[in-house]
Amino acid sequence: ATGTLAMGINFPCKTSVLVGDAIYLNAMLYRQTTGRAGRRGMDLRGHTVFYCVSSSKVVRLMRARLPSLQGNVVLSPSLVLRLLMRQSILDDS
């Protein structure tokens, strides 16, 4: 699989496998991808397998702090009203 799994699509799995020591394998990708391991309501726990990744990098990934995230969405009154209207329409159907 690609980094697409780390971008928030709904794709739960029982085991996440990280193959190869790629340059883009960072703490954020690691947490997002391994967070998919374990299907909610089906598994008590998930598993992560590292294949061809150095043990020192595995330790760094597991201990790394995630960067602070900050959203860019500006909540305007019109956006809030549109979201409320959309939710109301969905609740009615």
Side-chain angles (χ1 to χ4, degrees):
T2 65
T4 308
L5 290 178
M7 297 302 162
I9 63 170
N10 185 17
F11 190 72
C13 55
K14 189 169 187 168
T15 303
S16 292
V17 180
L18 299 169
V19 179
D21 193 0
I23 212 165
Y24 58 84
L25 181 54
N26 58 26
M28 183 75 75
L29 183 79
Y30 161 73
R31 293 277 175 93
Q32 284 289 321
T33 305
T34 58
R36 305 279 176 219
R39 299 164 297 177
R40 184 175 293 159
M42 297 176 74
D43 301 319
L44 292 177
R45 67 175 57 135
H47 304 280
T48 299
V49 177
F50 290 94
Y51 184 76
C52 293
V53 180
S54 68
S55 59
S56 60
K57 183 156 188 177
V58 171
V59 170
R60 274 196 320 269
L61 290 171
M62 292 174 70
R63 291 184 177 170
R65 291 183 168 262
L66 292 178
S68 178
L69 298 177
Q70 189 171 20
N72 294 326
V73 176
V74 178
L75 287 178
S76 66
S78 62
L79 175 61
V80 172
L81 288 173
R82 283 193 314 240
L83 291 172
L84 288 172
M85 287 174 53
R86 177 179 285 172
Q87 187 61 42
S88 175
I89 292 169
L90 291 174
D91 288 343
D92 291 343
S93 50

